[in-house]
Amino acid sequence: MASGHRSILIAGAGATGLTVALELARRGHLPRIVDSDTGPVSLTESRALGINARTLTLLSPSRVSDAILQECQQIARFRITAKGRQLVDLDTTKLPGPYGAIYALAQGHTERLLLGKLSDYEIVPEWQTAVETVSGDLSRPTVVLRKPDGSVETADFDIVIGADGSRSAVRKAVGIEFPGQSLESSFHLADFRYALPIDPGFAEISLVDPGIIGRIPVTRDVLRYISTLADFEGRIQHPAPVAERVWASDFRIHFRHVDTMAKGNVFLAGDAAHIHSPAGARGMNLGIEDACWLAWLISEGRQKEYAELRMPAVKRVMKQTYRLTSLITMRNPVAITIRDLAAPLILRIPAFSQKLLRSVSGYDTQSPPWIDGAL
Ligand SMILES: Cc1cc2nc3c(=O)[nH]c(=O)nc-3n(C[C@H](O)[C@H](O)[C@H](O)COP(=O)(O)OP(=O)(O)OC[C@H]3O[C@@H](n4cnc5c(N)ncnc54)[C@H](O)[C@@H]3O)c2cc1C
């Protein structure tokens, strides 16, 4: 194993940056991690919820998976209904290996579990510290950091990792393009806490054509509704009296990815390298996967292989989420009728439902060779 003396800077302490830091730390490295924000994302305003089996496998050596499993909610069934008729009812627990396909835990909780584990290695993110530029010879990049008191620090690093989200300053500074497209329509979400017990064990997409209303568990007593319809809140059939509307937000969907995830010794991971629709709950999971591969390759002294190894997984997930998003947001009445007739028939074929399950679980990308028995 390579020694841990190399100077490594991680820009961004979201799920991706924290995972790279942790995976490096447990292999004896001491990376520095900075974030322009004041702390991890709020516990109630969570974008990512879905944690798949691949992520649990990847986070098992650090034991973060055990902590996630203690706090999360298993999504045991995935249902699709159209005009009140059930098209699909997938049992997500029927997978080989120790995990079900997918679980729900608010992003803020996941980030706090990663932060807690990282503190065991005495690594704490430097909050309110932003990467302003990365320049010079990218085999040993020079980074300008803006500190909380407004002062500037300039330092050289052996390796710089841009895990600084979709607007990545690192990506822009090294001149890597972020081509792709943005969907015109907005999506809407609202999280509700219920006053009486609800069934949090399943996720459901209701096709209300044209448009969808998705229902995803957040915790035992909170459900998220996500929709293409601005007036969706009035259409929700709440399973119990609402105690509180916890959070609501609108967002646009973008499909973009870089052509290369590395330039010299500058590496991009997570949303800094790829963004897509939340359909399939792959975004944060894919970022965590990037992070684990990058940390392993750095420790093996094989970081030059990172971009080539990761791009196929990125392209595959982009393609899948694009197809899934097109299927659930289609507007043409003929296409909608065909989809609603075909979906239940196709998913009755075991090979198709297994393929869907592999994708939901994240097992459709390359298996991590450093974890014994990983699927
Ligand atoms: C509605 C919605 C639902 C979603 N649901 C899911 C889901 O169920 N499952 C899933 O896997 N994914 C989901 N996603 C996607 C997921 O939220 C993202 O993919 C994930 O947050 C990416 O993590 P990241 O760490 O790469 O980037 P971010 O979470 O964006 O973190 C980047 C960090 O970098 C910091 N930063 C920014 N600029 C700088 C700078 N110049 N210097 C230093 N620090 C900087 C930021 O403060 C931030 O902390 C969803 C997204 C949306 C919009």
Side-chain angles (χ1 to χ4, degrees):
M1 183 170 121
S3 70
H5 70 267
R6 279 174 293 173
S7 61
I8 302 175
L9 177 76
I10 302 166
T16 304
L18 291 171
T19 305
V20 192
L22 180 58
E23 287 293 289
L24 284 168
R26 73 177 188 86
R27 292 182 172 99
H29 298 268
L30 253 182
R32 192 172 161 190
I33 176 164
V34 300
D35 195 292
S36 52
D37 215 335
T38 51
V41 294
S42 140
L43 286 172
T44 50
E45 299 179 11
S46 175
R47 287 180 294 154
L49 289 178
I51 296 196
N52 64 27
R54 169 71 85 220
T55 290
L56 290 173
T57 305
L58 289 166
L59 297 180
S60 59
S62 63
R63 313 214 61 138
V64 172
S65 301
D66 294 345
I68 289 176
L69 286 169
Q70 298 247 320
E71 289 198 25
C72 70
Q73 180 62 53
Q74 182 164 15
I75 303 178
R77 303 199 83 85
F78 174 65
R79 295 178 181 150
I80 302 180
T81 64
K83 298 173 197 109
R85 192 167 68 95
Q86 194 160 288
L87 302 183
V88 173
D89 184 9
L90 194 68
D91 182 346
T92 64
T93 63
K94 286 198 173 144
L95 268 186
Y99 308 116
I102 191 145
Y103 301 75
L105 185 66
Q107 191 168 340
H109 281 286
T110 306
E111 290 184 7
R112 279 165 181 79
L113 293 177
L114 289 164
L115 277 165
K117 214 32 119 180
L118 203 50
S119 70
D120 293 349
Y121 297 93
E122 297 180 359
I123 297 175
V124 179
E126 296 167 47
W127 300 107
Q128 293 178 281
T129 301
V131 169
E132 288 207 331
T133 62
V134 181
S135 59
D137 175 1
L138 295 186
S139 62
R140 189 168 160 73
T142 302
V143 180
V144 174
L145 294 168
R146 175 77 58 183
K147 317 266 275 201
D149 62 2
S151 64
V152 159
E153 177 192 342
T154 303
D156 294 344
F157 294 89
D158 295 322
I159 289 175
V160 172
I161 298 167
D164 50 345
S166 59
R167 298 201 170 106
S168 174
V170 174
R171 184 187 69 230
K172 288 176 192 160
V174 300
I176 297 180
E177 300 288 319
F178 203 36
Q181 56 167 308
S182 305
L183 297 192
E184 267 174 35
S185 51
S186 280
F187 278 63
H188 317 272
L189 72 80
D191 293 351
F192 294 93
R193 184 182 307 285
Y194 292 97
L196 291 173
I198 52 161
D199 179 359
F202 70 94
E204 184 174 71
I205 291 178
S206 305
L207 305 164
V208 287
D209 300 327
I212 61 137
I213 301 178
R215 170 206 200 267
I216 309 157
V218 180
T219 61
R220 212 166 287 177
D221 61 350
V222 176
L223 292 179
R224 164 165 300 175
Y225 291 90
I226 192 161
S227 183
T228 47
L229 309 167
D231 66 347
F232 76 108
E233 288 196 43
R235 300 174 182 234
I236 296 171
Q237 294 180 344
H238 290 288
V242 172
E244 184 192 359
R245 182 172 177 265
V246 184
W247 182 51
S249 180
D250 294 340
F251 61 96
R252 299 263 320 268
I253 289 183
H254 312 271
F255 290 92
R256 295 181 185 279
H257 69 80
V258 294
D259 286 331
T260 178
M261 295 170 78
K263 206 166 186 179
N265 276 326
V266 178
F267 300 90
L268 299 175
D271 277 18
H274 42 75
I275 49 169
H276 52 76
S277 136
R282 297 296 295 264
M284 183 183 75
N285 289 297
L286 196 63
I288 289 175
E289 210 176 303
D290 293 342
C292 293
W293 276 91
L294 182 52
W296 177 66
L297 288 168
I298 289 172
S299 292
E300 296 285 312
R302 292 169 51 191
Q303 63 270 21
K304 294 264 178 285
E305 296 169 42
Y306 171 69
E308 205 177 319
L309 271 167
R310 288 306 297 155
M311 277 318 288
V314 169
K315 286 184 179 165
R316 168 187 272 269
V317 171
M318 293 292 299
K319 205 161 142 188
Q320 266 177 18
T321 52
Y322 186 80
R323 274 199 204 136
L324 198 56
T325 308
S326 307
L327 266 177
I328 60 178
T329 58
M330 57 175 47
R331 303 185 76 85
N332 179 318
V334 178
I336 286 172
T337 307
I338 295 171
R339 176 199 64 194
D340 293 358
L341 285 172
L345 298 176
I346 290 174
L347 284 161
R348 236 170 261 153
I349 303 168
F352 277 99
S353 56
Q354 278 306 313
K355 196 170 176 214
L356 182 62
L357 217 48
R358 273 184 70 74
S359 137
V360 174
S361 61
Y363 285 151
D364 55 355
T365 59
Q366 209 177 354
S367 174
W370 64 93
I371 299 177
D372 284 344
L375 294 174

